[in-house]
Amino acid sequence: MKRAGVLLLAAVPVIATGVYFVMPTDSADTPVTPPAATAQSSREDAKDRAEQEREADDALIADLPPGLASPAKKELAQQLVSSAENSTTRWRTAYGTIDDLGDGCGYTAGIIGFCTGTHDLLTLVERYTEAHPGNGLAEYLPALRKVDGSDSHEGLDPGFTAAWQAEAEVPAFREAQEEERDRVYFEPAVRLAKLDGLGTLGQFVYYDAMVFHGPDTDADGFYGLRERAMKQAETPAEGGSEKAYLDAFLDVRHEAMKAKRPGIDTSRVDTAQRRFLQAGNMDLDTPLVWEMYGDTYRVP
């Protein structure tokens, strides 16, 4: 960061000299920098800093173990999430699932619970249509844009559910669902968890929270929950205890789930993630046993 500042300062005399002859000056003959030029310089400086920070983060992550991103752990993560989203660990059977759960999110569909009311299903279909024009869902894009942000089915019934199920038989659409799951939920969650100093379990805790609460910055979104948890306990990257921080994060998440949907079953926190944490299974090692909505699941 200091190097960037030095480079910027070194360029100032050259820029100022050029401006001195073409711009009006104040009473002390000080060169006047145009506001637009100042704003542009600030934007470029901020962009440079962001790129440098991202490069530093990438270098840090590259030196860390793969954690949840390893093939075996990623498969386990999908099984865990699927037990909560679709009541089965066989997550590949869920590409064609679609139903209105009555939770205000419209239709919930696919392997990760894309919703017509929460923008992610719309984005999935838009990106899929860009790559595969004329697919069986493309005709519903105007209706999907109209109902986005609501629980409405206007323009979707009666044919959308059948169209979704039919398209889910197409390998390219299955691949698109997985790519969107990774792009929106899995990869950002694992990346941030690693930067926070969290191991495999903590990376899964972030991932599942990202799926359920959405990658939003409001109080009930994933980033809002993380901010609240960080006020209660330091992350390992800040020198705190990993267990204490995850306890705080799960407390915050449990509270948010109850506040959003009174009476909701919080099994995915209480009898899954909390159980793994209490057992000290920070690497999500198998065999793994957990309960979801009263059912017991096992991964040998």
Side-chain angles (χ1 to χ4, degrees):
M1 299 305 290
K2 290 183 179 179
R3 285 177 53 193
V6 170
L7 290 173
L8 181 61
L9 290 173
V12 168
V14 177
I15 296 172
T17 301
V19 172
Y20 183 83
F21 294 104
V22 298
M23 296 298 297
T25 62
D26 59 19
S27 58
D29 291 330
T30 302
V32 177
T33 303
T38 301
Q40 177 67 18
S41 177
S42 297
R43 285 193 296 270
E44 291 177 354
D45 190 37
K47 182 179 179 181
D48 289 342
R49 287 199 301 270
E51 290 177 352
Q52 290 173 13
E53 289 173 359
R54 183 169 184 83
E55 289 174 0
D57 290 344
D58 288 343
L60 174 63
I61 291 173
D63 290 335
L64 296 174
L68 201 68
S70 70
K73 297 299 185 185
K74 184 177 181 180
E75 174 67 21
L76 177 60
Q78 309 321 316
Q79 292 177 323
L80 286 163
V81 170
S82 183
S83 72
E85 294 289 324
N86 298 300
S87 296
T88 177
T89 56
R90 298 171 60 215
W91 63 270
R92 291 177 180 84
T93 65
Y95 294 106
T97 60
I98 181 167
D99 195 12
D100 190 325
L101 305 178
D103 56 4
C105 296
Y107 282 121
T108 297
I111 58 172
I112 207 68
F114 301 103
C115 297
T116 56
T118 61
H119 197 66
D120 57 350
L121 190 147
L122 169 60
T123 302
L124 166 64
V125 176
E126 285 179 335
R127 290 170 63 87
Y128 177 59
T129 301
E130 286 178 6
H132 303 278
N135 68 79
L137 298 174
E139 65 180 285
Y140 291 97
L141 277 172
L144 288 171
R145 294 185 181 108
K146 188 173 182 179
V147 303
D148 189 29
S150 74
D151 62 356
S152 174
H153 294 182
E154 185 178 353
L156 298 177
D157 291 341
F160 181 69
T161 56
W164 178 278
Q165 291 165 346
E167 201 67 25
E169 297 298 321
V170 179
F173 186 53
R174 295 187 173 202
E175 183 179 352
Q177 287 193 41
E178 294 185 34
E179 289 177 351
E180 199 67 4
R181 172 201 66 197
D182 291 350
R183 185 183 73 87
V184 177
Y185 300 105
F186 187 81
E187 291 170 1
V190 172
R191 175 184 175 82
L192 184 55
K194 288 183 176 182
L195 293 175
D196 282 348
L198 301 175
T200 305
L201 173 59
Q203 293 162 30
F204 175 72
V205 167
Y206 271 23
Y207 173 47
D208 188 68
M210 186 86 80
V211 169
F212 184 87
H213 297 275
D216 305 317
T217 56
D218 58 28
D220 294 327
F222 168 78
Y223 293 101
L225 300 182
R226 173 176 173 266
E227 184 176 344
R228 286 159 57 187
M230 291 176 71
K231 292 178 180 178
Q232 297 184 19
E234 292 182 327
T235 67
E238 296 172 322
S241 160
E242 183 173 14
K243 184 179 186 304
Y245 173 72
L246 289 177
D247 262 328
F249 185 90
L250 292 178
D251 285 344
V252 167
R253 186 180 173 195
H254 183 275
E255 179 184 339
M257 291 175 72
K258 288 290 190 181
K260 185 175 183 179
R261 302 177 194 170
I264 188 174
D265 188 317
T266 54
S267 295
R268 61 201 301 161
V269 171
D270 303 333
T271 53
Q273 296 168 46
R274 185 85 72 180
R275 181 174 292 179
F276 305 151
L277 182 61
Q278 291 172 344
N281 191 356
M282 310 304 281
D283 294 324
L284 273 183
D285 291 328
T286 53
L288 209 60
V289 180
W290 70 98
E291 293 179 15
M292 195 67 65
Y293 316 135
D295 295 327
T296 299
Y297 295 89
R298 293 180 175 86
V299 173

